[in-house]
């Protein structure tokens, strides 16, 4: 499983593959008031710029999941470059339907709502991974708001 080669070639020089720029990612991180150690899951993480810069700037920990082997490798290299390789991990995998066993403090998907067949499905997918700091899943999903 991987992205089509043409897309990977076209996007291979991009650090950010979604509608945000680095300034907006930084503003979002500040607005969220991310505490050190905040656990983040980023689905369809691309080249990992959000997680890597937030690890550097806010000392978050996190995991990015992306279907592209090229982008996953770039994300790992970026984490090394910014000194956050101990704080973040990048997994090659399909973000569609991806739910972690360990709950996180924040789950995101920027610019790839196709992973949940649209905005509503993507939000429902993200909610299934977010907890209240309890760590392991208790067997039931948090209610939808």
């Amino acid at each position: 499983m991987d992205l089509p080669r043409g897309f990977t070639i076209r996007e291979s020089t991009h650090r950010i593959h979604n509608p945000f720029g680095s300034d907006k990612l930084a503003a979002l991180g500040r607005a969220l008031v991310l505490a050190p150690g905040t656990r983040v899951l980023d689905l369809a993480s691309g080249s990992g710029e959000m997680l890597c810069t937030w690890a550097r700037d806010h000392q978050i920990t996190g995991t990015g999941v992306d279907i592209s082997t090229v982008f996953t490798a770039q994300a790992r290299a970026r984490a090394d470059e910014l000194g956050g390789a101990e704080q973040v991990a990048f997994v090659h995998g399909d973000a569609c339907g991806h739910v972690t066993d360990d709950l996180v403090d924040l789950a995101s998907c920027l610019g790839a709502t196709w992973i949940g067949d649209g905005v509503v499905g993507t939000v429902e997918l993200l909610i299934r991974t977010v907890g209240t700091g309890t760590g392991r899943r208790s067997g039931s999903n948090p209610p939808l708001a």
Side-chain angles (χ1 to χ4, degrees):
M1 124 185 75
D2 211 327
L3 283 177
R5 187 169 186 268
F7 182 84
T8 311
I9 291 169
R10 183 178 66 246
E11 297 272 326
S12 66
T13 61
H14 298 187
R15 280 202 175 138
I16 301 171
H17 304 278
N18 62 53
F20 277 51
S22 57
D23 56 335
K24 288 183 181 179
L25 289 179
L28 179 60
R30 288 190 305 272
L32 291 170
V33 191
L34 298 168
T38 297
R39 295 163 301 155
V40 179
L41 173 67
D42 188 19
L43 297 181
S45 58
S47 294
E49 190 69 8
M50 184 182 78
L51 284 178
C52 291
T53 57
W54 286 4
R56 179 194 64 201
D57 298 344
H58 303 285
Q59 293 74 52
I60 61 99
T61 62
T63 301
V65 179
D66 200 90
I67 197 168
S68 170
T69 55
V70 171
F71 299 157
T72 301
Q74 288 175 338
R76 291 177 184 140
R78 184 70 170 148
D80 285 337
E81 178 184 336
L82 295 182
E86 300 293 320
Q87 295 162 257
V88 293
F90 294 94
V91 177
H92 172 245
D94 190 352
C96 295
H98 184 90
V99 177
T100 63
D101 289 333
D102 292 320
L103 298 177
V104 297
D105 303 307
L106 173 68
S108 66
C109 174
L110 300 178
T113 55
W114 51 265
I115 69 166
D117 290 325
V119 173
V120 172
T122 301
V123 170
E124 290 172 348
L125 174 62
L126 295 170
I127 287 171
R128 293 172 55 200
T129 299
V130 177
T132 57
T134 57
R136 295 298 275 173
R137 185 175 304 287
S138 66
S140 62
N141 294 325
L144 294 177

